[in-house]
Amino acid sequence: MIAADIISKRTVTSTASATAQKQKIKVNIVVCLKQILDPEIPSRDFRVDSEKMEAQRGGASLVTNIFCENALETALQFREKFGGRITALIFAPAGGEDSLRKALAMKADAAVHVINDGAAHPDPLAVARVLAAAVRRLGNIDLVMVGRESGDWGVGQTGGLMAEELGIPSVSFVDRLEKQERGLLLHRQTDQGWENVEAQTPLVVTITNDDQNLPRIPKTRDIMLSSRQPIIRWSLEDLAADDAGIDVAEIRAGGGYYRVVDLAIPTKEIVCEMVAGETLEERVDQLADRIMSVVRSL
Amino acid sequence: MSRVIGIIFSSAGYDRAAQGVTGAGRRLADALGLPLQMVVVGGGGGDLAGSLAAVADAVTVLTVTGVADYQPEQTLAALTDLCRGEGAQAVLLGNDTWSQELAPRLAHRLGGSAAGDGVELVIADGRLRVSRSVYGGKAMATIELLRDPAVVWIRARAFDPATAREVPAPIESLEAAPTGEPATFIIERKSEVTGEARLEDAQVIVSGGRGLGGPEPFTDLQDLAGLLGGQTAASRAACDSGWCPPSWQVGQTGRKVAPGLYLAVAIRGASQHLAGISEAKTIAAINNDPDALIFKHCRFGIVEDYRKVLPLLRERLAAMRKE
């Protein structure tokens, strides 16, 4: 249907047969995942390694980035309404498999793991090149969905850079999408409210959260089933073999786009003064005074 | 021929964000010994272009034939041509939706490197270094961009405005031809801003969180914000619960705000949320939990159920306003 949309313009002359074909072909979706250090760890337990330029793992667990899960949830809801096939894709060390298993438990149709055996935090262009090469290798992808940013480095570039690597358009901050007669209708958040955007596939969208796409909790049975489902594993060499865009040595070294030269925890000591008073009324009066004195100084 | 280019989307006007982009651009241009060219995207900004001309070395009002203000693919293509033609050494944008959407793609097309959410820019060994908050505001990182040009979207309000030049810069209009067939098309737009100004420009913000327990208390927060001449916002938990529009969300995943006063009501203070208010001058909180993380970032606060505090506070503030 959607991929066929583009092809049909060139090859199919009969509208009737094009429509018939549209209804049969599924939207092929790839959802890209990132595994990150649990962002909920409290500040007091947070340490950085200023040599490796990354957070220390400590006792924290690794989780799938929330916006990636929002993206997967949006994809699942799209499939429920309009049909389609969802492939979860991750570029991560061996442990990244946990995120893929969870995606399968949430009912993604397939999972692809590109093994990262190089730098722990490759730069955004290195990541986008690997993911784009994996998308090309999968073939016939209509829609690439990624989270708007990650909860660790919050770089916010993967979607845009993937669009450029794939040579296709992209739309950011999408929270809902629907299939229409031709192409897709995307609802996205803006600074002031929202916009509706019409788009043709193939397309990259970055997904943000709203009250509609909170990730579902997988059923126990599906979690058990997911542990036995196949995962496709590719090495960087596998990708480089049929993709000139992949420079394995550069990606293992972290990429040539940017490098982190400093990482530190800012020291900021603020003492909160709790308003005092015998009664609630007195304390609220104090609070009002403090508020007004700040407001008047602005 | 090389220069620093600052890009402003005209719909926002010469607001605090545009001033920040221009100020950061001016200082970067001076550090590099290059001229500063400000580009207004979407035309229509008569006095925006005029305000920019007072502080820049050149101003270009860029429109694309047939595009009212912004269409991602069209605007990106026109900006790429302009930056290439002018030999951009560095490109600065704000942290609005459209800037964030375009910056990485623009960097890629120009063969450069992008970084976002910058709060400080320095030149070291001829390379641009961008400082930004990471790990939900728990750490600060400095990132060195390895390719030219550097394309950076900044937390615009964290940067001081530029001072006026002696001679205003010339203003030039440029109409770009549309490129091919637009593959994406914005067909409808709706504004849900809570008041006159954008949340990012608000001097006072009254914000509610999960502890409010439902959508109704937001009416009280709006009353309170009204009394203080401010705006209403919310935490991610409140937005995800559907108690208020997603555009109210402040945090790492929502708006990054910089008010003079941020009053957090029933907000626990997850680092996700704190990342959005790190530029606030004064943070105050109403929370019934004395151990709520938000208090570690407050100048003052009250440990009490908001249900008891809000009616009294509103009454008291209303009385003070009359005085």
Side-chain angles (χ1 to χ4, degrees), chain A residues 156-176:
Chain A
Q157 297 195 37
T158 308
L161 293 176
M162 278 185 82
E164 292 304 310
E165 286 293 320
L166 293 166
I168 61 178
S170 79
V171 180
S172 298
F173 310 114
V174 173
D175 57 15
R176 259 168 279 166

Side-chain angles (χ1 to χ4, degrees), chain B residues 29-42:
Chain B
D30 290 351
L32 292 165
L34 296 173
L36 170 67
Q37 178 175 1
M38 293 303 298
V39 177
V40 178
V41 177

Side-chain angles (χ1 to χ4, degrees), chain B residues 217-229:
Chain B
F218 275 98
T219 320
D220 298 329
L221 298 195
Q222 279 177 298
D223 284 354
L224 208 57
L227 281 171
L228 298 171

Side-chain angles (χ1 to χ4, degrees), chain B residues 20-295:
Chain B
V21 173
T22 317
R26 176 85 267 160
R27 283 181 292 280
L28 187 60
D30 290 351
L32 292 165
L34 296 173
L36 170 67
Q37 178 175 1
M38 293 303 298
V39 177
V40 178
V41 177
D47 43 326
L48 172 58
S51 308
L52 294 172
V55 289
D57 300 300
V59 175
T60 305
V61 178
L62 176 68
T63 49
V64 181
T65 312
V67 174
D69 45 19
Y70 176 82
Q71 291 292 354
E73 306 303 315
Q74 296 294 348
T75 305
L76 174 61
L79 280 172
T80 307
D81 286 347
L82 187 147
C83 291
R84 219 176 253 150
E86 300 289 354
Q89 179 73 32
V91 182
L92 294 187
L93 304 97
N95 52 349
D96 52 277
T97 317
W98 296 344
S99 294
Q100 289 186 50
E101 175 165 72
L102 290 194
R105 301 184 66 192
L106 182 61
H108 193 286
R109 288 190 186 193
L110 296 172
S113 295
D117 239 1
V119 292
E120 198 186 336
L121 307 175
V122 250
I123 308 285
D125 306 326
R127 302 238 147 258
L128 185 61
R129 291 183 168 187
V130 180
S131 296
R132 65 188 305 268
S133 139
V134 293
Y135 291 103
K138 293 194 200 74
M140 282 293 288
T142 304
I143 288 158
E144 183 174 273
L145 300 180
L146 299 176
R147 312 197 309 177
D148 290 324
V151 179
V152 183
W153 74 96
I154 59 174
R155 267 197 202 190
R157 287 157 193 80
F159 292 84
D160 292 329
T163 47
R165 316 278 280 174
E166 279 173 23
V167 186
I171 301 172
E172 160 197 77
S173 289
L174 183 65
E175 184 170 335
T179 134
E181 201 180 312
T184 60
F185 202 74
I186 298 168
I187 54 164
E188 196 183 353
R189 185 173 293 156
K190 173 118 195 300
S191 177
E192 282 171 348
V193 283
T194 51
E196 295 279 299
R198 287 149 35 104
L199 212 45
E200 284 88 343
D201 289 324
Q203 280 290 354
V204 175
I205 293 175
V206 180
S207 191
R210 190 199 302 272
L212 290 178
E216 299 81 12
F218 275 98
T219 320
D220 298 329
L221 298 195
Q222 279 177 298
D223 284 354
L224 208 57
L227 281 171
L228 298 171
Q231 297 201 49
T232 322
S235 72
R236 176 175 174 152
C239 293
D240 280 355
S241 304
W243 300 342
C244 53
S247 54
W248 288 23
Q249 187 186 320
V250 164
Q252 185 191 8
T253 59
R255 313 262 166 268
K256 273 106 182 175
V257 297
L261 174 68
Y262 188 87
L263 179 60
V265 184
I267 291 178
R268 184 169 55 96
S271 57
Q272 199 283 126
H273 186 73
L274 296 170
I277 57 175
S278 59
E279 304 292 331
K281 285 195 192 72
T282 301
I283 299 170
I286 302 171
N287 204 298
N288 59 2
D289 175 8
D291 295 325
L293 285 168
I294 189 79
F295 285 126

Side-chain angles (χ1 to χ4, degrees), chain A residues 100-118:
Chain A
L100 290 177
R101 295 278 173 215
K102 185 169 179 201
L104 289 169
M106 286 169 76
K107 299 313 260 180
D109 297 288
V112 176
H113 189 168
V114 181
I115 307 290
N116 180 10
D117 53 1

